[in-house]
Amino acid sequence: MKTLRPSPISSTVDFDKDGVQHGFLRLPYSRDDSAWGSVMIPVCVVRNGTGPTALLTGGNHGDEYEGPIALYDLARSLDAKNVSGTVIIVPAMNYPAFRAGTRTSPIDKGNMNRSFPGRPDGTVTEKIADYFQRELLPRADIVLDFHSGGRTLDFVPFCAAHVLPDKQQEKKAFDAVEAFAAPYSVQMLEIDTVGMYDTAAEEMGKVFVTTELGGGGTSRAETVRIAKRGVLNVLRHSGIVAGAVEKQPTRWLDMPSGDCFCFAEDEGMIEPLVDLGEPMKEGQVVARIYPVGRTGAAPAEIATKMSGILAARHFPGLVKAGDCVSVTAVVVD
Ligand SMILES: [Zn+2]
């Protein structure tokens, strides 16, 4: 097997040094407005002696805000003397996308969460993925990657982990989900796991937890509070920050199969008939799609294929064929 060249990214912080450091992951990026320029991805490391390492990320997609808000806040407030071990914070993982306020990178259209394991000689997005794959993930014991729905989806606020072949690893992940204490906790099914950061971390044997905390390309006071409490809870649960987990009631949800997802087959204007968190019965119409080119035409109906609650929905008022319209999750008692 050919050995990969070293990552072109250099870090201005030393991950093995005690104390609080704020710096950058500097990725050379030559372009019209900066011949020898770089992408400067903010990073913070807080270390106090030996102990477990938590890797905390937001902005994997650039239009999701609860994670970055909680992590910029944590980076400026976490005191090394309250830490046992290491906390690595990258609040805006796909920094070019985050700066543009878009899901994918404006440089190469790269979707960070479809770019793993990345390439040291690939696109900007692939180079960032490769740095996480080979430099940061191997250091981590627990990985928390924040997501929300972005501009096109909206979610009930939840923390989630995946069903895994290694049941010990799976249990540790669900214990961390429980500690996060979002209003909902989910056994999450992915539409397509290829290239995901989640999969990269899990295949390395890491305890990996993720979130979906809202959406619509913005944040809300409630979902930001959930994110801030959740990240501290995960650090307390891991023994990295002292103190008891701040418990909150959570409802467990399951996504048992691909029947959770409903996709539009028509374009038009969406009429929601169910709001997030509301219960639904199998076969119930959750949304209508109106053709807008003429009056008098009947709308297409989107019906849920299983009973449960509405866990996510298409956010913009207009929809295209192929868009994910709704996600049903089953309440686990
Ligand atoms: Zn996302």
Side-chain angles (χ1 to χ4, degrees):
M1 205 178 115
K2 200 169 142 249
T3 50
L4 292 169
R5 68 175 70 198
S7 172
I9 293 180
S10 54
S11 172
T12 68
V13 297
D14 179 348
F15 295 107
D16 298 313
K17 201 175 118 186
D18 276 353
V20 177
Q21 298 169 77
H22 299 284
F24 302 95
L25 307 175
R26 192 180 65 79
L27 166 57
Y29 170 47
S30 178
R31 56 198 192 268
D32 286 346
D33 69 346
S34 188
W36 287 8
S38 303
V39 175
M40 303 288 275
I41 304 162
V43 62
C44 168
V45 57
V46 182
R47 186 181 190 274
N48 184 9
T50 52
T53 294
L55 176 58
L56 311 175
T57 47
N60 178 326
H61 294 128
D63 59 351
E64 305 173 0
Y65 295 97
E66 284 81 358
I69 293 168
L71 294 179
Y72 277 101
D73 182 62
L74 182 72
R76 77 183 179 88
S77 58
L78 192 58
D79 191 332
K81 72 173 190 298
N82 297 330
V83 167
S84 306
T86 306
V87 181
I88 300 170
I89 305 170
V90 184
M93 193 179 181
N94 194 343
Y95 190 65
F98 180 72
R99 289 301 302 265
T102 53
R103 181 174 181 83
T104 61
S105 175
I107 297 172
D108 52 34
K109 292 289 164 198
N111 179 340
M112 182 62 70
N113 224 22
R114 302 291 182 275
S115 299
F116 278 80
R119 296 169 60 108
D121 56 357
T123 63
V124 164
T125 307
E126 287 170 333
K127 285 170 177 167
I128 298 170
D130 170 69
Y131 188 82
F132 274 83
Q133 176 82 27
R134 291 192 294 148
E135 303 291 337
L136 295 182
L137 278 178
R139 293 178 171 274
D141 297 292
I142 184 159
V143 182
L144 169 58
D145 185 38
F146 279 101
H147 288 259
S148 303
R151 289 183 188 180
T152 64
L153 290 172
D154 197 10
F155 285 85
V156 293
F158 67 76
C159 183
H162 301 108
V163 173
L164 298 174
D166 180 337
K167 293 300 159 191
Q168 226 182 337
Q169 182 189 5
E170 177 190 291
K171 184 181 184 308
K172 284 182 189 166
F174 283 117
D175 287 348
V177 169
E178 174 121 36
F180 188 99
Y184 294 91
S185 299
V186 178
Q187 295 192 41
M188 199 171 180
L189 181 74
E190 300 292 348
I191 292 176
D192 177 13
T193 60
V194 175
M196 290 182 72
Y197 181 49
D198 313 44
T199 313
E202 286 161 357
E203 284 179 350
M204 243 181 255
K206 307 302 180 184
V207 175
F208 182 90
V209 295
T210 185
T211 71
E212 297 289 358
L213 292 177
T218 186
S219 61
R220 291 184 286 119
E222 184 211 359
T223 52
V224 169
R225 281 194 291 269
I226 294 164
K228 288 183 177 182
R229 183 182 66 223
V231 66
L232 273 177
N233 271 348
V234 167
L235 292 174
R236 291 175 187 131
H237 169 77
S238 312
I240 296 173
V241 166
V245 167
E246 191 190 321
K247 287 189 179 156
Q248 292 286 327
T250 189
R251 283 180 91 184
W252 281 87
L253 302 175
D254 189 17
M255 294 168 64
S257 77
D259 281 349
C260 295
F261 304 100
C262 288
F263 297 95
E265 296 182 0
D266 305 271
E267 65 164 22
M269 175 176 67
I270 248 188
E271 177 192 2
L273 299 174
V274 176
D275 280 324
L276 287 178
E278 288 185 345
M280 304 179 294
K281 288 258 180 293
E282 182 185 335
Q284 184 178 337
V285 177
V286 299
R288 294 190 185 120
I289 301 174
Y290 275 88
V292 293
R294 63 173 67 239
T295 58
E301 294 187 330
I302 303 285
T304 176
K305 286 163 274 185
M306 59 175 72
S307 299
I309 66 153
L310 185 66
R313 65 173 208 116
H314 182 74
F315 187 76
L318 297 178
V319 67
K320 303 179 299 302
D323 287 351
C324 180
V325 172
S326 69
V327 180
T328 306
V330 175
V331 179
V332 181
D333 290 315

